[in-house]
Amino acid sequence: MQRPASQGAAGAATAPVLADEPALWKAARRGGEAARARLIEAYLPFVRMLAAKMFAGRIDHDLEFNEYLQFGTIGLIEAVDRFDPGMGNQFKTFAGHRINGAILDGIGQMSEKRTQVNTRRRLQLERGESLRDALDARTGDLFQQLADVAVGLALGYVLDDPVVYYHEDATVADQHYTRVEMTQLRSKMQALVGNLPEKERMVIKYHYLNQVPFAVIAQTMGLTKGRVSQIHNKALALLRRAANAVSACDMVW
């Protein structure tokens, strides 16, 4: 992914994130859902970078990084839906203002509501409800359902780690061996996620990597919240099977 103009070479900010990005914008403006989804997915790391920069310079330490990330992702989705490539502007410039604005707006709203459960807790509760619904359905092999629950818990631990990236290829300085192991494991899991079918991949990326709740994912993908929950559970089952098939994966599911 290219760096924004403030952090990289002058030409880096104008280079497209995707080789076929101009064609994707044309398709998205014609109502192409697949093109829209690809554009959003491609710019999720850009949101993380901007959210991390704002989090690093924060004055109010009451909010978590995950909340900055969630607000920024919602701003990205709105930017993709409103961007007009025919105006001649670069999308990163257009989206950057809206992502930062969405984070600032979210901070202002959340600072008045700290009595509610924080973002991490809300997402964990939502995942638990989704997994419990799958078990309550009592379809298929019970052992496999329990294994999928274990994958969900592990995936949350591995991908939903509160590590702040100050730019896209940075990691928090830590000399402990456990941090190295976790970084390697996270990379393996992200590779498995990248091989999921489109809808399953998008739900996992939105929810685990960018902290977006199921209700917002449902609105973004034009689905019901219940359908997003089903896709989430299917994704966990696929990840479990993929992880078992990869001998290099060190985890026991």
Side-chain angles (χ1 to χ4, degrees):
M1 176 175 171
Q2 305 297 331
R3 296 180 183 273
S6 61
Q7 295 189 12
T14 60
V17 171
L18 298 165
D20 56 345
E21 186 171 336
L24 287 174
W25 281 116
K26 290 181 181 179
R29 294 289 74 88
R30 292 195 298 266
E33 289 298 324
R36 176 178 177 269
R38 283 190 63 195
L39 288 164
I40 293 172
E41 182 179 4
Y43 282 97
L44 289 177
F46 181 54
V47 176
R48 176 175 285 271
M49 183 187 68
L50 293 181
K53 183 176 180 180
M54 293 190 69
F55 185 76
R58 70 195 185 283
I59 298 176
D60 182 358
H61 290 258
D62 196 32
L63 300 181
E64 296 183 352
F65 173 65
N66 289 330
E67 291 166 316
Y68 282 66
L69 188 57
Q70 181 183 123
F71 300 144
T73 302
I74 294 172
L76 169 67
I77 294 169
E78 293 175 349
V80 168
D81 288 339
R82 296 177 182 178
F83 180 62
D84 182 359
M87 297 296 292
N89 297 325
Q90 294 298 319
F91 178 70
K92 277 191 174 181
T93 302
F94 177 87
H97 293 298
R98 282 151 184 79
I99 291 168
N100 289 334
I103 293 173
L104 291 174
D105 288 344
I107 292 171
Q109 294 172 10
M110 288 295 290
S111 62
E112 303 295 329
K113 302 177 181 178
R114 294 313 298 162
T115 55
Q116 64 180 303
V117 184
N118 64 33
T119 296
R120 180 179 297 276
R121 179 61 176 161
R122 290 199 307 274
L123 293 177
Q124 288 172 345
L125 288 172
E126 192 170 47
R127 294 166 195 166
E129 291 173 358
S130 174
L131 294 169
R132 186 177 65 248
D133 290 343
L135 286 176
D136 288 345
R138 299 184 183 279
T139 57
D141 184 82
L142 180 59
F143 177 79
Q144 289 187 352
Q145 291 178 3
L146 291 173
D148 291 342
V149 171
V151 171
L153 295 174
L155 189 66
Y157 179 75
V158 172
L159 295 183
D160 189 21
D161 187 274
V163 175
V164 179
Y165 295 88
Y166 294 99
H167 50 82
E168 61 266 27
D169 57 355
T171 57
V172 170
D174 193 323
Q175 300 302 316
H176 295 299
Y177 181 66
T178 54
R179 172 58 63 188
V180 175
E181 285 184 318
M182 181 57 71
T183 299
Q184 294 174 344
L185 182 56
R186 186 181 298 109
S187 296
K188 293 176 182 177
M189 288 304 302
Q190 289 176 340
L192 292 177
V193 169
N195 290 327
L196 289 171
E198 181 181 355
K199 288 184 178 179
E200 285 75 11
R201 185 182 70 249
M202 291 303 300
V203 167
I204 294 298
K205 282 195 169 186
Y206 279 142
H207 191 67
Y208 288 94
L209 298 182
N210 276 61
Q211 311 300 310
V212 181
F214 284 173
V216 177
I217 296 174
Q219 293 175 359
T220 301
M221 298 179 70
L223 304 171
T224 65
K225 183 179 177 182
R227 178 56 181 149
V228 170
S229 179
Q230 292 174 350
I231 295 172
H232 168 252
N233 291 330
K234 180 182 177 183
L236 296 184
L238 292 173
L239 285 171
R240 176 178 56 80
R241 289 196 289 270
N244 287 335
V246 177
S247 59
C249 186
D250 297 326
M251 294 191 70
V252 177
W253 302 99

